[in-house]
C-alpha cells in the first residue's frame, strides 16, 4: 500500500518524464567502466524491469559484481523481501 501510494502521489507529468528518461537511458558504457565491487539484486518475476533485459544484462556488463537473483520476486523487492535483501546487503558490505 505504501509503494502504491508513493506512485499515486507523483504527478502525471513527473511519472511520464521519468518513464521517458528511463526508457531512453543507455548506461552500458558507464556500467562497463565500474571498477568498484558492485551488488546486483534482481527478481526474476519483475514485470516492469524484466530480468533478461535488466538484471542479467547488468550482471554481464559490470566487471566485478556479486549477482543475486531472487526467484518469483517482482519489482518491489525492498518491500516483499526486506529481510533477505537487508541480509544480502550486509553480507556484501562485510565481504
Amino acid at each position: 500500500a505504501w509503494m502504491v501510494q508513493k506512485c499515486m502521489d507523483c504527478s502525471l507529468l513527473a511519472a511520464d518524464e521519468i518513464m521517458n528518461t528511463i526508457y531512453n537511458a543507455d548506461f552500458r558504457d558507464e556500467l562497463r567502466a565500474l571498477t568498484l565491487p558492485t551488488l546486483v539484486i534482481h527478481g526474476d518475476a519483475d514485470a516492469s524491469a524484466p530480468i533478461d533485459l535488466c538484471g542479467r544484462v547488468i550482471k554481464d556488463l559490470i566487471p566485478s559484481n556479486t549477482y543475486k537473483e531472487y526467484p518469483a520476486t517482482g519489482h518491489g523487492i525492498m518491500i516483499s523481501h526486506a529481510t533477505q535483501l537487508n541480509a544480502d546487503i550486509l553480507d556484501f558490505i562485510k565481504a
Side-chain angles (χ1 to χ4, degrees):
W2 175 82
M3 184 70 86
V4 170
Q5 188 59 51
K6 286 294 169 196
C7 293
M8 298 300 290
D9 288 343
C10 181
S11 75
L12 186 55
L13 175 62
D16 185 54
E17 288 297 321
I18 191 120
M19 292 310 295
N20 284 331
T21 300
I22 291 168
Y23 179 77
N24 292 305
D26 182 356
F27 295 112
R28 288 176 290 185
D29 289 339
E30 289 85 350
L31 292 170
R32 285 184 196 105
L34 287 174
T35 58
L36 60 144
T38 305
L39 176 63
V40 178
I41 298 177
H42 203 104
D44 70 0
D46 191 331
S48 60
I51 196 161
D52 287 328
L53 297 175
C54 299
R56 292 177 183 152
V57 171
I58 290 169
K59 170 193 66 131
D60 292 339
L61 289 171
I62 299 174
S64 175
N65 73 78
T66 300
Y67 181 72
K68 299 275 185 174
E69 193 170 295
Y70 290 13
T73 303
H75 197 71
I77 213 165
M78 67 283 203
I79 304 293
S80 63
H81 290 71
T83 302
Q84 181 181 355
L85 179 64
N86 286 327
D88 286 339
I89 292 170
L90 285 173
D91 288 346
F92 177 75
I93 291 169
K94 290 174 187 175

